[in-house]
Amino acid sequence: MIRRPAILALVLLAGLPPLQAAEVAVTATQLPSFGEIALDAPVGGLVFRGGVALVAQDDTFGGLSGMAFTGPNQQVSFVSDRGSFVTGHLAYDDANRLFGLIGVTVEPMQNSKGAALPRQYAKDAEGIDTIYRNGEAVAVRVAFEHLTRVADFDLTAGIPGGAAREVALPDWLSELRTNASLESVCIAPPASPIAGSTLLLAEDRDDGAGNHSAWLLGQTDRGALSYQAHEGVYPTDCAFLPNGDLLVLERGISMLAFNMAVRLVPAADVRPGNVMEGALLLSASGNAIDNMEALAVHSAPGGETRIIIGSDNNFNDWQRSLLLEFALGE
């Protein structure tokens, strides 16, 4: 497929008050391959379905650290390193290939009093998932590192915002104060044995046995569990498949290049007291990837279940904001 840019969305609105959403123009370039892997070719236990590289001239766009689907028509919301929600719609062509992100807005997050987050230490949002009630998306749950916490935000027309409602955490987690504390948050789907429970997965907190510490928030499924450590990579996001199986995205750096892995944990293994051991689905490094930190699962326009992996460019010109899309292999 020929690589072609698409100018998507509108011009940034000027002169808005600090806590209002601003529209941002985003350029998307389709990716015809994943390294040497062609479209629709298998890569590990997945199949590459395409992707895009996103660029915006406005410096409020970037640092996309987590993503979740929050409304119809492929509406998606990201959280950024600078404490903003970035919301838009994924656009697909007639071949069901991702080709852009349209209608993009960037809105600063609020604290529990409805005011702007006070400083960068409090703004470092890293993970997001959608809360459903009776099948309707009603809120998002967001994980922060540095000032480690979890907070819920209401959804209005699929766009998160309003005052934060903080979620109670165990002391060992809330007392972490590093940029390697809480990267991953995901909520179990109806088919899961722990349906409705929230999994929190620490990036680099040892459980005492050499594994990554984790915690389940739920009415009946509550307590500590762990995720098996793998050399050179650390968990940066998680997402449940519709059948309840868990996907974990891992990221690392070696020889000045990023590497990543995606692993699958059976649904029955996500339970308090257990060490989750993930089977490797995908491993990659080099120019095909960047700083991969976001993971989401959705149904593409044609009905296929797909996995999207996104990168955080850290607001650096030399890094990229990528969205890579895969399907499960046979």
Side-chain angles (χ1 to χ4, degrees):
M1 181 180 290
I2 298 174
R3 183 176 299 193
R4 57 190 179 94
I7 303 296
L8 302 167
L10 301 174
V11 179
L12 175 69
L13 296 178
L16 292 175
L19 291 183
Q20 284 190 326
E23 295 179 354
V24 175
V26 176
T27 300
T29 303
Q30 281 187 305
L31 304 174
S33 63
F34 179 66
E36 297 181 354
I37 306 299
L39 288 167
D40 301 325
V43 50
L46 302 178
V47 178
F48 179 59
R49 291 293 193 231
V52 290
L54 303 173
V55 177
Q57 294 302 310
D58 187 83
D59 63 6
T60 62
F61 182 86
L64 307 179
S65 299
M67 64 182 296
F69 286 84
T70 54
N73 302 317
Q74 308 299 328
Q75 189 172 25
V76 64
S77 293
F78 302 84
V79 291
S80 84
D81 296 341
R82 294 180 180 173
S84 294
F85 290 114
V86 179
T87 302
H89 290 264
L90 298 180
Y92 287 81
D93 61 21
D94 292 340
N96 288 328
R97 307 282 187 204
L98 179 62
F99 77 88
L101 181 65
I102 62 175
V104 178
T105 63
V106 177
E107 180 171 0
M109 295 179 185
Q110 301 177 21
N111 65 16
S112 59
K113 297 180 179 180
L117 297 179
R119 59 194 186 280
Q120 183 55 40
Y121 184 72
K123 293 181 179 181
D124 199 354
E126 293 292 332
I128 180 174
D129 206 355
T130 303
I131 299 171
Y132 290 88
R133 290 199 188 99
N134 300 318
E136 296 291 328
V138 297
V140 294
R141 181 156 288 175
V142 177
F144 296 82
E145 63 182 13
H146 277 113
L147 182 58
T148 304
R149 65 200 190 280
V150 172
D152 293 346
F153 299 83
D154 288 334
L155 283 171
T156 302
I159 299 175
R165 300 188 303 277
E166 293 207 12
V167 176
L169 299 178
D171 290 344
W172 70 262
L173 185 52
S174 60
E175 290 170 0
L176 294 177
R177 290 291 186 266
T178 74
N179 66 347
S181 58
L182 188 52
E183 287 265 353
S184 307
V185 57
C186 48
I187 301 173
S192 169
I194 57 165
S197 295
T198 299
L199 174 65
L200 304 174
L201 179 56
E203 180 181 6
D204 193 18
R205 199 267 191 181
D206 195 299
D207 67 348
N211 301 306
H212 299 283
S213 298
W215 187 263
L216 274 174
L217 293 173
Q219 295 298 318
T220 58
D221 303 291
R222 176 180 292 269
L225 68 167
S226 302
Y227 176 72
Q228 185 179 46
H230 301 99
E231 185 176 0
V233 290
Y234 300 85
T236 58
D237 209 353
C238 59
F240 283 96
L241 291 168
N243 69 354
D245 289 344
L246 175 70
L247 299 176
V248 178
L249 172 65
E250 301 172 334
R251 179 271 321 273
I253 301 176
S254 61
M255 299 298 291
L256 302 179
F258 291 106
N259 51 72
M260 77 163 188
V262 177
R263 301 180 192 273
L264 185 145
V265 177
D269 291 350
V270 187
R271 64 182 189 274
N274 193 41
V275 177
M276 299 178 289
E277 299 180 9
L280 184 64
L281 288 181
L282 175 66
S283 179
S285 61
N287 292 333
I289 65 168
D290 207 280
N291 179 32
M292 313 310 291
E293 290 197 7
L295 182 69
V297 174
H298 74 121
S299 179
E304 183 178 51
T305 297
R306 291 189 183 173
I307 300 160
I308 296 186
I309 307 172
S311 66
D312 173 3
N313 71 350
N314 291 303
F315 293 94
N316 291 325
D317 291 338
W318 54 272
Q319 289 183 256
R320 296 168 293 168
S321 296
L322 302 177
L323 297 179
L324 305 173
E325 194 164 47
F326 301 86
L328 289 170
E330 296 297 330

